Amino acid sequence: MKFASIRLIAADITSMVAFYELVTRQSAEWLSPQFAEIVTPGATLAIGSAETVALFMEGSAEPGVNRTAVLEFGVDDVDSEFTRLKGRVDVVIEPKLLPWGNRTVQFRDPEGTIISLFTPVTEAARARFGSR
């Protein structure tokens, strides 16, 4: 089995796609007006409009209500990314070292999902991510 993507359901797909293009520095591929993908070297982020939910099962997903997921992106320098994004995103935590060895910053996307940018800084963290 191969993990393919994470899909977010958005009330305002245009704002969500623009936000993730800003954060990832990647252009989205719009497969339809209701669906776009941002392909990164490690994973694909799919974004579907709220109207796509009915294609599966009406009411099975709802924009803006998730408080359990954290989308994580590895970056070369979390502090420079924080400087670039500060004032343009809703910051949850400013850069800090976490107990498992990553220096991390967190903020929210336009629908409230937490986004974490991290740089492995300890030897153990760098070793763990070196093979991924």
Side-chain angles (χ1 to χ4, degrees), residues 74-101:
V75 297
D76 291 332
D77 182 349
V78 74
D79 293 291
S80 68
E81 292 297 323
F82 175 68
T83 298
R84 180 177 72 87
L85 295 168
K86 188 177 180 180
R88 300 173 79 181
V89 298
D90 177 17
V91 176
V92 175
I93 63 164
E94 293 193 6
K96 69 185 218 179
L97 181 62
L98 297 178
W100 46 91

Side-chain angles (χ1 to χ4, degrees), residues 48-124:
S49 68
E51 66 189 294
T52 63
V53 174
L55 298 171
F56 301 102
M57 186 176 127
E58 191 70 43
S60 61
E62 185 178 339
V65 297
N66 181 5
R67 294 290 187 229
T68 62
V70 177
L71 300 183
E72 297 183 303
F73 295 90
V75 297
D76 291 332
D77 182 349
V78 74
D79 293 291
S80 68
E81 292 297 323
F82 175 68
T83 298
R84 180 177 72 87
L85 295 168
K86 188 177 180 180
R88 300 173 79 181
V89 298
D90 177 17
V91 176
V92 175
I93 63 164
E94 293 193 6
K96 69 185 218 179
L97 181 62
L98 297 178
W100 46 91
N102 292 338
R103 185 156 172 79
T104 301
V105 62
Q106 291 184 343
F107 46 90
R108 292 195 186 276
D109 75 14
E111 306 248 350
T113 300
I114 292 178
I115 309 306
S116 181
L117 304 183
F118 71 92
T119 302
V121 294
T122 66
E123 187 175 322

Side-chain angles (χ1 to χ4, degrees), residues 16-31 36-40 43-45 47:
M16 283 285 277
V17 169
F19 173 84
Y20 282 101
E21 286 179 326
L22 169 70
V23 170
T24 65
R25 298 181 191 205
Q26 304 271 345
S27 294
E29 180 181 353
W30 286 87
L31 304 175
E37 291 182 332
I38 296 177
V39 179
T40 71
T44 297
L45 176 61
I47 304 169

Side-chain angles (χ1 to χ4, degrees), residues 1-7 42-44:
M1 181 182 303
K2 182 179 178 184
F3 188 79
S5 69
I6 296 281
R7 184 182 315 178
T44 297

